[in-house]
């Protein structure tokens, strides 16, 4: 029996000041249960509050942001660095080289230089960035920066990985390469992942389950298990009838949500 | 490609040298040199390059500039260092204590709007003819440059960087040390060149107004006795100091801000 890692029960959330006048409701009675080892994609119209769910799960919501109701339970060990959060914008430290960026989370826990360098190098090799260790972020392409952004989070081995449209800003080709890498990394580690995207195809290609959200105030409108075996080859998977079936199925619902 | 590049560089150097040489020759000729006895530029006021060179060599060999040179360098460097340190400190203080910022904002704006050389007479009156009045004048310019850059640096720290640093488990000190500080220093170092130049301005202006030492003082003294050769010699020395200090700060900037994309065109 798997245990649930993130559980939202009837969660509603509104941004704005507490004086109730200019509150904007983003989430309305959201129920979401992410089990250990699931790769759940959240798909919905832009601005519907997908990122808010990640912020809630990461514990980044403060009372100053607005009001929430309902219950949010995130199950993780009692230590730091149990949650990894990958932002759409690659938030690399511009004054650190690639390897120093990947080392950062290990550095602040006091891991000795040699060990953290070793771990960082391993991750850099895995995503094909070897040879670029000593480049500064401005010297890397967008795809390389986003790869660095992702492995910086994976380097400290979090229990839960939250990703907020990590591939949203990339060109189609780079996007596909990174989708494959994310898929490979996931099938090797089977971590609990919540992946926010506005791209339904990407969601189906990567996930074990796709969750559709409505327009704002958003609520969960559908949850579909994607029963395709891993490891997946993103490029080929797109062309299989199984994928097309799932895609068409969800596409109609997705379009209804946009109306 | 490389050959062409180095040729272009060489050609540029020659062209630049020609412009300077032409100006010097014109100056020399118009101010009575080359046996032409033209007096378009009265050499009493304009001197001329050959006389300036002679005076410079003579003065240097007799060590007539040494004491004043050291005085000016010392005052401007003190002004620079104190300005940077206090500017950073107060910048952080004001950024972290918004009420302090609100309280002092009009005063800061007023002081920063004041043409600082106008402070020189007051400072000399209060602090006397020694080094202190010049250091304070120099400081009063550098301080505001660094203060505003520090403040802007803190205010423009990328919130996403703070966010990821926090999620990765950084404590407040680590965020300060690894996110805020590098961000602020990039602003302060980007303003280093300007700070250095203005530190020198402060020192020299202070020496003009009231001093017993310094290159500004010696220049003022030479002007008083219509020794235009010496006036231009000192001008040249000040120019050299400015160039050297600018190059040093450029090198520091390049070294410390090498993670920044090179700005286009410069």
């Amino acid at each position: 029996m798997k245990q649930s890692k993130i559980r939202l029960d009837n969660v509603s959330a509104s941004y704005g000041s507490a004086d109730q006048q200019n509150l904007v409701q983003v989430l309305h009675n959201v129920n979401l249960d992410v089990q250990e080892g699931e790769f759940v994609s959240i798909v919905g119209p832009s601005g519907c509050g997908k990122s808010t769910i990640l912020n809630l799960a990461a514990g980044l919501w403060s009372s100053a942001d607005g009001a929430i109701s309902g219950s949010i339970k995130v199950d993780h060990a009692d230590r730091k660095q149990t949650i990894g959060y990958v932002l759409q914008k690659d938030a690399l430290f511009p004054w650190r080289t690639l390897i120093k960026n990947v080392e950062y989370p290990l550095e602040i826990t006091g891991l000795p230089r040699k060990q953290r360098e070793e771990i960082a190098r391993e991750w850099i090799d895995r995503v094909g960035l070897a040879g670029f260790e000593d480049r500064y972020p401005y010297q890397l392409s967008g795809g390389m920066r986003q790869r660095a952004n992702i492995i910086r989070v994976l380097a400290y081995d979090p229990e839960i990985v939250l990703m907020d449209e990590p591939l949203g800003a990339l060109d189609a080709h780079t996007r596909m390469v990174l989708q494959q890498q994310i898929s490979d990394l996931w099938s090797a580690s089977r971590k609990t992942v919540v992946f926010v995207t506005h791209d339904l195809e990407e969601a189906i290609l990567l996930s074990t389950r796709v969750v559709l959200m409505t327009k704002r105030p958003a609520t969960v409108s559908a949850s579909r298990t994607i029963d395709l075996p891993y490891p997946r080859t993103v490029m080929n998977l797109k062309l299989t009838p199984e994928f097309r079936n799932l895609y068409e199925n969800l596409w109609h619902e997705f379009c209804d949500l946009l109306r | 490609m490389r050959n062409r590049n180095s040729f272009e560089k060489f050609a540029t150097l020659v062209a630049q040298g020609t412009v300077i040489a032409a100006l010097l020759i014109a100056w020399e000729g118009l101010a009575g040199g080359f046996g032409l006895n033209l007096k378009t530029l009265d050499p009493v006021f304009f001197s001329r390059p050959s006389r300036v060179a002679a005076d410079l060599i003579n003065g240097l060999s007799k060590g007539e500039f040494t004491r004043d040179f050291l005085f000016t360098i010392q005052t401007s460097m003190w002004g620079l260092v104190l300005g940077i340190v206090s500017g950073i400190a107060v910048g952080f203080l004001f950024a972290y204590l918004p009420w302090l910022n609100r309280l002092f904002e009009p005063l800061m704006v007023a002081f920063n709007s004041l043409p600082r050389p106008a402070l020189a007479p007051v400072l000399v009156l209060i602090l006397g003819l020694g080094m202190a009045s010049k250091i304070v004048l120099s400081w009063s310019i550098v301080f505001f440059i660094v203060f505003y850059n520090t403040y802007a640096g803190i205010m423009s720290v990328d919130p996403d960087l703070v966010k990821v640093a926090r999620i990765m488990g950084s404590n407040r000190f680590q965020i300060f040390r690894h996110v805020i500080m590098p961000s602020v220093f990039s602003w302060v170092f980007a303003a280093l060149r300007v700070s250095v130049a203005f530190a020198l301005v402060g020192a020299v202006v202070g020496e003009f107004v009231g001093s017993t030492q310094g290159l500004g003082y010696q220049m003022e003294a030479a002007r008083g006795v219509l020794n235009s050769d010496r006036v231009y010699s000192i001008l040249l020395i000040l120019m050299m100091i400015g160039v050297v200090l600018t190059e040093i700060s450029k090198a520091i900037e390049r070294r410390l801000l090498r993670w920044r994309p090179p700005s286009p065109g410069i």
Side-chain angles (χ1 to χ4, degrees):
Chain A
M1 178 72 189
K2 297 223 164 168
Q3 73 187 111
S4 77
K5 295 294 279 182
I6 300 172
R7 197 186 157 106
L8 273 63
D9 284 311
N10 281 318
V11 171
S12 298
S14 306
Y15 280 106
S17 50
D19 58 23
Q20 307 289 323
Q21 292 300 315
N22 40 20
L23 280 181
V24 178
Q25 192 177 18
V26 281
L27 299 179
H28 177 70
N29 284 340
V30 171
N31 290 295
L32 182 69
D33 188 354
V34 180
Q35 309 268 307
E36 186 174 2
E38 267 193 303
F39 190 122
V40 175
S41 284
I42 301 178
V43 188
S46 64
C48 79
K50 303 184 292 280
S51 306
T52 307
I53 294 180
L54 296 190
N55 284 334
L56 288 172
L60 287 176
W61 184 283
S62 78
S63 52
D65 294 326
I68 45 170
S69 64
S71 107
I72 300 157
K73 285 192 193 108
V74 180
D75 173 65
H76 57 78
D78 190 22
R79 63 172 175 102
K80 276 185 172 180
Q81 299 194 332
T82 51
I83 293 180
Y85 198 146
V86 179
L87 301 176
Q88 172 174 13
K89 194 178 133 235
D90 56 86
L92 296 174
F93 301 117
W95 44 82
R96 283 178 170 249
T97 56
L98 167 58
I99 189 162
K100 291 284 172 202
N101 261 292
V102 180
E103 280 178 41
Y104 178 78
L106 307 169
E107 186 182 326
I108 56 171
T109 56
L111 198 71
R113 175 183 293 268
K114 263 192 99 150
Q115 285 176 48
R116 60 179 200 245
E117 236 181 64
E118 210 170 290
I119 296 173
R121 242 173 245 290
E122 225 179 274
W123 282 102
I124 288 171
D125 280 349
R126 278 180 80 168
V127 293
L129 288 176
F132 295 94
E133 289 89 346
D134 297 321
R135 301 283 184 94
Y136 287 98
Y138 85 88
Q139 297 167 312
L140 301 170
S141 70
M144 290 167 126
R145 281 202 297 270
Q146 197 50 273
R147 262 177 269 188
N149 198 27
I150 293 168
I151 59 172
R152 179 174 61 173
V153 164
L154 299 179
Y156 64 83
D157 198 24
E159 288 177 38
I160 300 168
V161 179
L162 309 170
M163 295 180 148
D164 191 0
E165 299 199 32
L167 310 182
L170 302 176
D171 63 87
H173 174 254
T174 312
R175 218 182 148 109
M176 201 160 72
V177 173
L178 262 77
Q179 284 168 352
Q180 186 61 54
Q181 283 186 342
I182 289 175
S183 189
D184 291 343
L185 290 171
W186 182 81
S187 49
S189 71
R190 304 278 166 157
K191 278 188 193 306
T192 310
V193 174
V194 182
F195 187 94
V196 162
T197 177
H198 56 255
D199 181 349
L200 183 60
E201 188 183 76
E202 177 172 279
I204 300 171
L205 287 172
L206 298 177
S207 323
T208 60
R209 184 153 64 95
V210 173
V211 170
L212 290 183
M213 306 275 300
T214 64
K215 272 193 289 200
R216 200 175 64 212
T219 192
V220 175
S221 86
S223 168
R224 247 351 104 65
T225 302
I226 308 298
D227 218 354
L228 301 168
Y230 288 90
R232 296 177 182 174
T233 308
V234 168
M235 234 166 26
N236 300 338
L237 190 59
K238 280 189 202 187
L239 305 172
T240 62
E242 292 89 343
F243 174 83
R244 297 256 56 113
N245 257 335
L246 278 163
Y247 184 75
E248 262 170 48
N249 225 310
L250 277 161
W251 179 250
H252 293 303
E253 270 185 76
F254 186 57
C255 288
D256 286 340
L257 294 176
L258 295 176
R259 260 183 220 124
Chain B
M1 221 39 212
R2 164 159 296 172
N3 267 334
R4 195 205 158 109
N5 242 328
S6 61
F7 172 74
E8 258 174 36
K9 258 188 195 158
F10 179 71
T12 310
L13 251 142
V14 170
Q16 288 168 335
T18 311
V19 171
I20 294 170
L23 285 172
L24 286 176
I25 288 168
W27 180 5
E28 181 77 25
L30 292 172
F34 303 129
L36 294 170
N37 275 330
L38 284 174
K39 288 282 162 61
T40 319
L41 302 173
D42 190 341
V44 174
F45 306 122
F46 287 92
S47 184
R48 60 174 175 259
S50 57
R51 280 171 47 174
V52 175
D55 178 71
L56 195 62
I57 292 164
N58 184 37
L60 283 172
S61 65
K62 288 186 186 154
E64 285 168 1
F65 300 115
T66 316
R67 185 194 67 158
D68 295 322
F69 169 80
L70 290 176
F71 185 86
T72 301
I73 289 289
Q74 270 184 65
T75 44
S76 50
M77 287 304 112
W78 273 114
L80 180 70
V81 170
L82 293 176
I84 289 178
V85 171
S86 60
I88 292 176
V90 177
F92 269 106
L93 210 60
F94 276 37
Y96 278 89
L97 302 172
W99 60 269
L100 204 63
N101 187 34
R102 274 198 297 279
L103 190 62
F104 281 98
E105 203 194 347
L107 209 61
M108 297 295 259
V109 170
F111 261 99
N112 193 37
S113 310
L114 179 75
R116 245 48 59 75
L119 273 183
V122 182
L123 289 172
V124 171
L125 201 64
I126 298 170
L127 297 169
L129 300 174
M131 207 181 260
S133 54
K134 286 93 209 160
I135 293 177
V136 173
L137 185 62
S138 189
W139 165 84
S140 76
I141 308 178
V142 176
F143 168 79
F144 282 98
I145 299 172
V146 176
F147 165 75
Y148 279 113
N149 270 285
T150 303
Y151 189 80
I154 297 169
M155 288 303 150
S156 63
V157 169
D158 185 348
D160 281 342
L161 292 185
V162 177
K163 187 174 168 185
V164 291
R166 186 171 299 141
I167 299 166
M168 288 190 286
S170 316
N171 57 35
R172 279 175 70 95
F173 171 74
Q174 285 165 332
I175 288 176
F176 182 79
R177 162 83 185 73
H178 294 292
V179 185
I180 316 264
M181 291 279 272
S183 184
V184 170
F185 280 139
S186 74
W187 281 72
V188 172
F189 282 119
L192 188 63
R193 233 183 296 175
V194 188
S195 306
V196 168
F198 276 106
L200 194 58
V201 170
V204 174
V205 169
E207 289 162 6
F208 283 158
V209 173
S211 186
T212 55
Q213 279 186 67
L215 290 170
Y217 156 77
Q218 197 185 129
M219 194 174 177
E220 185 58 17
R223 183 197 61 86
V225 296
L226 279 183
N227 182 356
S228 59
D229 300 351
R230 184 47 57 96
V231 170
Y232 288 100
S233 294
I234 293 169
L235 217 48
L236 206 61
I237 293 173
L238 287 172
M239 200 187 281
M240 289 306 187
I241 295 174
V243 168
V244 169
L245 289 179
T246 305
E247 286 308 313
I248 292 174
S249 31
K250 264 199 221 166
I252 293 174
E253 209 180 300
R254 262 201 305 273
R255 173 86 185 83
L256 291 173
L257 300 182
R258 64 183 183 283
W259 52 268
R260 279 193 159 184
S263 48
I266 301 168

